[in-house]
Amino acid sequence: MSESHTPPSGSARLNTGVAHNARVWNYWIGGKDNYEVDQQVGEHVAGMFPIIRDIARADRDFLGRAVSFLAGERGVRQFLDIGTGLPTADNTHQIAQRIAPDSRIVYVDNDPIVLVHARTLLTGSRDGVTAYVDADVHDPDAILERARQTLDFDRPVAVMMLGILNFVLDAEKARDIVRRVMAAVPSGSFLVLTHPTFDDELGGAGQIPAMKFWNENATPPITARGGADIAAFFEGLELLEPGMVSCGQWRAEAGSAVLVPQYGAVAVKA
């Protein structure tokens, strides 16, 4: 079952003349839903920072492990995925509903091409619900209001914020967004987060010139943060093992872990 809370006028925002993060990310992980301008910017960034494709794949693999863990081991049946990105294989609802067909998933994005593809491709199981919300991460109140149409905020929710807070350039604003969303969900809920870093121990120094080029040639603007600033997003929450680590190493199988300059963590609200 699928639902949409997307206004039809959203397609008017589509701009294929400027590279956009959702489409470039899709290009880096081998998808087909991108334009020539996305490919050109994606290739240039990859030339400056070759590990970017590894980051994209590691982030995607982290999503799979995190959703599988929460649905399988922690019994989570509700997911609020903020900053969906373009659909590929094994999206949040597919992973969760394979484990628990009655899972309810709300995807949130404000890019019109993402929402068009979501309505077409992200169809849920017979027993579960998959819904889509057209909203901006900068407006958490709108996200929560629309998500409540599908999710029961009296029961635990896994809030997914993978590679999205790096588009909120003001650090205090980003922390406030997390606080407001997590305040709305009950005890036993989870925050699942990834974020790029410039920390040297994760090999992040190359992010800085690559992001400068991105901000001059693509949209939306992006920022990396140090580990301490990223850890602040989890204030008041309990980090689950192994804590905040390179997302390629979080609960990865032996021999498959990769070190990439993108932190990943899962935390629970007590």
Side-chain angles (χ1 to χ4, degrees):
M1 178 180 178
S2 64
E3 302 172 351
S4 175
H5 307 301
T6 306
S9 59
S11 60
R13 300 194 309 267
L14 182 59
N15 181 356
T16 60
V18 178
H20 188 278
N21 175 73
R23 302 191 307 259
V24 177
W25 195 262
N26 176 265
Y27 175 66
W28 282 330
I29 62 175
K32 305 298 183 184
D33 298 310
N34 48 75
Y35 297 97
E36 185 176 358
V37 66
D38 306 308
Q39 298 164 17
Q40 291 171 347
V41 169
E43 281 299 319
H44 192 98
V45 172
M48 298 177 69
F49 192 51
I51 199 174
I52 189 63
R53 286 190 172 91
D54 295 328
I55 295 172
R57 286 190 290 265
D59 189 87
R60 191 72 189 179
D61 291 343
F62 168 86
L63 174 129
R65 295 194 301 274
V67 174
S68 295
F69 166 73
L70 292 175
E73 296 188 31
R74 290 300 184 108
V76 176
R77 296 296 178 261
Q78 301 190 111
F79 294 82
L80 177 57
D81 191 335
I82 302 174
T84 304
L86 282 161
T88 58
D90 278 346
N91 302 284
T92 298
H93 77 284
Q94 292 165 321
I95 300 165
Q97 290 175 353
R98 272 202 302 268
I99 296 169
D102 60 337
S103 297
R104 304 173 75 85
I105 292 85
V106 172
Y107 289 108
V108 181
D109 211 295
N110 73 326
D111 179 56
I113 195 170
V114 168
L115 294 162
V116 167
H117 281 75
R119 285 196 300 268
T120 303
L121 298 176
L122 300 182
T123 55
S125 69
R126 183 184 62 186
D127 300 319
V129 174
T130 307
Y132 322 100
V133 167
D134 182 356
D136 192 299
V137 67
H138 292 85
D139 190 358
D141 292 340
I143 291 172
L144 293 167
E145 178 186 355
R146 296 170 195 172
R148 282 191 179 96
Q149 298 176 34
T150 300
L151 303 179
D152 178 359
F153 279 18
D154 291 327
R155 297 171 52 228
V157 178
V159 177
M160 316 284 293
M161 291 186 168
L162 273 62
I164 185 64
L165 292 173
N166 36 290
F167 298 109
V168 181
L169 303 186
D170 181 83
E172 182 52 41
K173 173 66 173 176
R175 286 193 292 271
D176 183 62
I177 289 168
V178 176
R179 283 194 294 262
R180 287 162 71 180
V181 172
M182 295 308 296
V185 296
S187 297
S189 294
F190 295 86
L191 174 63
V192 184
L193 184 147
T194 62
H195 196 296
T197 184
F198 46 67
D199 285 357
D200 284 338
E201 57 264 38
L202 268 64
Q207 299 260 35
I208 298 171
M211 286 184 174
K212 181 177 185 294
F213 172 83
W214 175 270
N215 290 342
E216 293 169 351
N217 294 276
T219 190
I222 192 171
T223 188
R225 293 187 166 99
D229 284 334
I230 297 170
F233 294 131
F234 297 98
E235 184 178 345
L237 306 174
E238 179 187 345
L239 283 168
L240 303 185
E241 289 293 334
M244 194 179 82
V245 297
S246 171
C247 69
Q249 298 181 326
W250 190 89
R251 294 179 179 256
E253 293 183 7
S256 67
V258 293
L259 181 71
V260 295
Q262 178 113 327
Y263 280 112
V266 177
V268 63
K269 180 177 179 178

